[in-house]
Amino acid sequence: MAVLWNSIQSVLVVVLIMVLGFILRRTGWFADSFAGNISKFIKNIALPASIFVSVLSRLTRDQLGSFSGYLAYAFIAVIIGYLIAFALVRIMKIRPGRKGIFINAVVNANTIFIGLPLNIALFGEKSMTYFLVYYIVNTVSTWAFGVFLISNDDPTKPKEKTHNKIDWKKVIPMPLVGFIVALVFLLLNIPILKITFVNSTLTYVGNLVTPLSLIYIGIVLADAGLGSIKFDRDTVVALIGRFVLSPIVMIAVIMVAGNVGASFPTMASQTLIVQSATPMLAVLPILANEAHGDVEYATNVVTTSTVLFIIVVPILMTLIQFI
C-alpha cells in the first residue's frame, strides 16, 4: 500500500501542474501561440541543457558499456512492439488513415512532455541516466520509422507514388544532440561542469523542463477538449497496446536479459517499464493531419491516453514491485 500511495502522490504532482496549464489556457491567460513557443523552448534549449548536465554528472566512462547494453534491450522491446502492433492492425482490420496512427500509438511514447516529468516525480533526478536510454530508443523509433508509417498510410495517395526521405533533423533532434555532445565531453574528460557559472546556468535552464512540459500538456488537453473523448474499438485496442502490451513486452525482455546474465538495477528496470507505459505521442494529430489521416482518431487516442495514465501509473508501480 505504501508503494501505491507514494505513486499516487507522485502522479498527483504531475496532474496538478497539468491542471494548472489546463485552467490558465481555458481562462485565456495563454495565447494561441504559447504552447508552440514553450514546446520549441523545451525541445531545443531546456531539455538539451538538462540532458547535458545529467550525462556529465551521472554517467562515467566505465558505465558506457552497460548503457549501450540497456539501449540494445530497449530496442529489442520496441521491435517486438512493432510486430505486435502490425499483427493487431491485420487482426482488427484497422482502416487506412488510422493504421500508422494506431501502430505509433501502441509503440511510441510521449517521453518529453510526460515521460520525463513523470520519471523525475517517481524516481528523482538519479533516474535520468536510465530515462535517456528510453528517450534515445523512442526518438529513433518515432522519427526514423514511425513517421513513415503515418505518411505511407495517406488514404489520398496511391501507395506506389508515396516516397519519403528520412528527416535527419527529427531523427537527431536537439535533445539527442545534447546527449552526443555530452558524450564527447565525457570521453575527452573535459570538466566543463566544474566551471560554476556554466553548471549553474545549464542546471537552472534544464530545471524548467518539468513544469513547462506539464503546463504544455495541460494546454493541449484544454485545446483538444475532454468532452471529445470516445472509447471506440480502435481506441480501446490502442490503449490496451500502450498501457498493457507495451509494458508486458518490456518486462519480458528485462526478465530474459536477466536470465542470460545481463544486470538490470532496480531503478533501470522500473524506469524502462514505466516509460513503456507513458501516454501516446503528442504530435500524432499533427502527423496525421500532414498525411491526410484520421486526425479526430489521433487526437482522441492522445487525449484519452493522457487522461488515463493518471490511473495506470500507480497500478503499474504497485505491480512491478513483485517482478
Side-chain angles (χ1 to χ4, degrees):
M1 287 300 293
V3 173
L4 178 61
W5 175 237
N6 289 336
S7 301
I8 290 174
Q9 291 191 87
S10 297
V11 171
L12 280 176
V13 173
V14 172
V15 171
L16 288 174
I17 300 176
M18 286 170 52
V19 169
L20 176 63
F22 183 95
I23 293 173
L24 293 179
R25 172 58 175 160
R26 281 295 177 91
T27 54
W29 277 42
F30 297 145
D32 293 344
S33 62
F34 185 71
N37 292 338
I38 62 173
S39 172
K40 188 180 297 184
F41 173 77
I42 291 167
K43 289 189 289 186
N44 295 317
I45 297 176
L47 187 55
S50 176
I51 289 174
F52 184 84
V53 172
S54 296
V55 169
L56 291 181
S57 60
R58 304 186 186 283
L59 198 61
T60 65
R61 284 183 287 184
D62 294 337
Q63 294 174 321
L64 289 179
S66 58
F67 187 89
S68 60
Y70 300 145
L71 276 176
Y73 286 113
F75 269 116
I76 290 171
V78 167
I79 291 170
I80 295 172
Y82 273 115
L83 295 176
I84 293 173
F86 276 108
L88 287 173
V89 165
R90 284 185 170 246
I91 294 170
M92 304 303 296
K93 297 180 180 178
I94 306 295
R95 69 171 185 255
R98 284 190 177 187
K99 292 180 181 179
I101 299 167
F102 178 89
I103 295 171
N104 274 274
V106 172
V107 180
N108 297 317
N110 190 346
T111 53
I112 294 180
F113 297 110
I114 292 186
L116 177 55
L118 179 63
N119 220 69
I120 292 175
L122 291 172
F123 309 119
E125 290 285 346
K126 56 185 179 294
S127 66
M128 271 295 290
T129 301
Y130 306 118
F131 167 80
L132 287 174
V133 172
Y134 200 88
Y135 168 77
I136 292 170
V137 172
N138 190 74
T139 298
V140 173
S141 169
T142 300
W143 298 108
F145 187 58
V147 68
F148 287 98
L149 297 178
I150 296 177
S151 297
N152 293 335
D153 190 36
D154 188 337
T156 66
K157 293 182 180 179
K159 290 187 179 296
E160 62 272 11
K161 292 186 179 180
T162 303
H163 300 288
N164 295 289
K165 296 181 180 180
I166 295 177
D167 186 344
W168 291 105
K169 289 182 179 179
K170 292 181 177 178
V171 177
I172 309 178
M174 283 306 296
L176 199 51
V177 171
F179 173 77
I180 294 170
V181 172
L183 281 185
V184 173
F185 276 77
L186 181 65
L187 292 172
L188 296 179
N189 199 27
I190 301 173
I192 186 70
L193 293 186
K194 289 186 178 180
I195 303 175
T196 304
F197 79 89
V198 173
N199 191 353
S200 298
T201 301
L202 293 175
T203 300
Y204 286 142
V205 173
N207 286 344
L208 294 172
V209 172
T210 299
L212 288 182
S213 295
L214 296 175
I215 287 173
Y216 169 80
I217 290 298
I219 295 172
V220 170
L221 291 177
D223 289 341
L226 299 181
S228 64
I229 291 178
K230 299 176 184 177
F231 288 98
D232 57 73
R233 186 202 64 167
D234 291 355
T235 298
V236 171
V237 176
L239 290 169
I240 292 172
R242 181 93 289 269
F243 289 139
V244 180
L245 299 181
S246 183
I248 286 177
V249 168
M250 184 60 75
I251 290 169
V253 169
I254 290 173
M255 292 179 69
V256 170
N259 291 333
V260 298
S263 175
F264 267 84
T266 300
M267 184 168 292
S269 58
Q270 289 184 347
T271 294
L272 293 178
I273 292 168
V274 168
Q275 288 302 313
S276 69
T278 46
M280 299 158 190
L281 289 165
V283 296
L284 276 184
I286 297 172
L287 297 175
N289 184 61
E290 290 176 352
H292 307 101
D294 193 332
V295 178
E296 183 180 349
Y297 174 68
T299 303
N300 188 51
V301 293
V302 171
T303 305
T304 307
S305 66
T306 303
V307 172
L308 289 182
F309 96 95
I310 299 167
I311 301 170
V312 171
V313 171
I315 296 173
L316 183 61
M317 282 297 295
T318 303
L319 294 177
I320 61 179
Q321 303 302 313
F322 302 101
I323 299 174

